[in-house]
Amino acid sequence: MSKRLTIKDIARLSGTGKSTVSRVINQQGDVHPQTRQRIEAVIKQHQFIPSRSARAMRVNESRVIGVILARLDSAAENQAVSAMLPLLYQYGYDAMVLESRFSTTKVTEHLQVLGQREVDGVILFGFTGLTTGMLAGWENKLVLMVQSCRGFSSVCYDDAGAVNLLASHLQQLGHRNISYLGVNEEDKTTGGDRYRAYLSACQQLKLTPLAALGSLDYHSGYDLAAQVCTDETTAVICATDTLALGVYKYLRQNPQKNIQVAAIGNTPLLGFLFPDVVMLEFGYATAGKLAARQLIAHLSRAAPVRSFLLKGKLTSDF
């Protein structure tokens, strides 16, 4: 069964022209049903596999989705992208992956480039500072991750609910001195929303709050760990699993401190190295699939604007 067939070969075997075969492969219209059936029969018989990358380079035959990550080194974003790509490929789309590094200027530049290349749609991992105006012109062709924006479909996480669930769980385990290591409030979701949820949980559970806020990387977790891992602390909630790695390094260097670490996120490395960690995950792979399906539905004009909110669940019995 040859997989080396070319469009010219398919045209010869089906008794049609190359342009007609190309329209069938690219799922374009204006092909007679009987002609389409003949071409599809030949493709199926010879298990012809078209080159998506070659097809994407042809003028007016592009079936490409732009994926703009906030950080290429984000475990959560990578889990989401790894889940969405097979779906995009299944529907005949290629992916062009870009990185914004939390820069609104970069997002604007990337969208301009993607627009010039006439990509079919975009999945954008949002962050604080993005506005509706920056996304103008992409209505029904763009799905936002992490943040919502009026007029656009989005897949978001229940940040407040996640922190409340962790705090309640730790209290049920007998912890009364639960501190918090988070991200600066300039970051609305991971930073502000989760921090305010911690303060609210402390008030509701009658706990004395103790918190430190920094950046997203594990260096920040390590540098700030001493502020939240005091002699009275019995548990610490980390806004991200990356911060938790920094806390664990600090605790390894201070073994006299017996502190339970809890984290939002489910990086496999964290659970492998520290199986006693209490982890809460949103299902980043599920989020990636939701975003891909919603965008594909938009592109086929089969779905209105819709927002999804994923709630977290505990993945540890500790």
Side-chain angles (χ1 to χ4, degrees):
M1 294 183 182
S2 174
K3 295 186 180 180
R4 300 179 181 176
L5 247 58
T6 65
I7 289 179
K8 182 178 180 180
D9 295 325
I10 298 293
R12 175 176 53 81
L13 292 171
S14 61
T16 59
K18 290 193 297 182
S19 61
T20 305
V21 174
S22 179
R23 289 200 299 276
V24 171
I25 291 174
N26 288 283
Q27 301 178 19
Q28 296 174 342
D30 64 1
V31 177
H32 193 278
Q34 292 182 350
T35 303
R36 181 181 294 275
Q37 288 176 7
R38 286 206 315 274
I39 293 172
E40 290 177 343
V42 172
I43 290 174
K44 182 177 181 180
Q45 178 185 353
H46 294 273
Q47 295 186 359
F48 174 69
I49 302 176
S51 169
R52 288 190 299 269
S53 58
R55 185 177 66 230
M57 292 174 65
R58 299 188 188 108
V59 179
N60 297 325
E61 292 186 10
S62 172
R63 285 176 61 82
V64 178
I65 301 297
V67 180
I68 305 178
L69 295 168
R71 292 168 50 208
L72 285 171
D73 60 352
S74 167
E77 295 185 14
N78 275 284
Q79 288 180 45
V81 172
S82 294
M84 68 175 64
L85 289 181
L87 270 174
L88 297 179
Y89 296 154
Q90 178 184 335
Y91 281 86
Y93 293 99
D94 272 314
M96 182 183 298
V97 179
L98 303 167
E99 183 187 40
S100 69
R101 299 303 297 180
F102 301 100
S103 166
T104 55
T105 301
K106 278 293 181 186
V107 169
T108 300
E109 292 174 353
H110 290 333
L111 289 176
Q112 289 176 346
V113 170
L114 294 173
Q116 291 169 357
R117 297 194 179 188
E118 298 183 349
V119 301
D120 296 271
V122 173
I123 295 175
L124 169 61
F125 287 78
F127 53 89
T128 303
L130 291 179
T131 65
T132 306
M134 296 177 188
L135 310 180
W138 290 95
E139 292 80 359
N140 294 318
K141 293 192 297 182
L142 184 146
V143 174
L144 271 168
M145 298 282 292
V146 184
Q147 287 192 317
S148 60
C149 191
R150 179 177 294 182
F152 294 88
S153 287
S154 62
V155 179
C156 300
Y157 306 119
D158 184 6
D159 295 289
V163 175
N164 286 329
L165 181 57
L166 278 179
S168 298
H169 180 68
L170 291 172
Q171 189 188 51
Q172 291 172 8
L173 294 178
H175 295 284
R176 296 295 304 171
N177 294 297
I178 305 171
S179 58
Y180 177 82
L181 183 56
V183 180
N184 292 320
E185 292 184 83
E186 287 77 11
D187 182 307
K188 179 184 180 300
T189 53
T190 307
D193 290 351
R194 295 184 187 182
Y195 174 55
R196 285 187 291 274
Y198 166 72
L199 296 178
S200 177
C202 286
Q203 185 176 15
Q204 181 181 351
L205 301 174
K206 296 180 171 54
L207 305 176
T208 301
L210 175 63
L213 305 180
S215 59
L216 279 165
D217 61 274
Y218 58 86
H219 292 290
S220 180
Y222 174 77
D223 293 339
L224 296 174
Q227 297 182 33
V228 294
C229 296
T230 66
D231 293 337
E232 293 77 24
T233 302
T234 61
V236 56
I237 296 174
C238 298
T240 70
D241 41 17
T242 305
L243 292 174
L245 285 172
V247 171
Y248 267 114
K249 179 178 180 180
Y250 171 81
L251 292 176
R252 283 293 179 91
Q253 296 175 350
N254 296 270
Q256 73 278 9
K257 296 181 182 291
N258 184 20
I259 296 176
Q260 174 68 65
V261 178
I264 298 175
N266 191 20
T267 301
L269 179 62
L270 179 62
F272 177 75
L273 294 176
F274 309 105
D276 61 334
V277 63
V278 174
M279 291 191 291
L280 181 145
E281 69 167 354
F282 289 113
Y284 299 122
T286 299
K289 292 177 182 177
L290 277 174
R293 288 195 181 102
Q294 183 64 12
L295 182 58
I296 290 169
H298 277 317
L299 298 179
S300 63
R301 296 180 175 84
V305 170
R306 185 178 177 188
S307 295
F308 301 88
L309 182 67
L310 300 186
K311 295 185 178 297
K313 63 178 181 179
L314 295 171
T315 62
S316 172
D317 294 329
F318 287 94

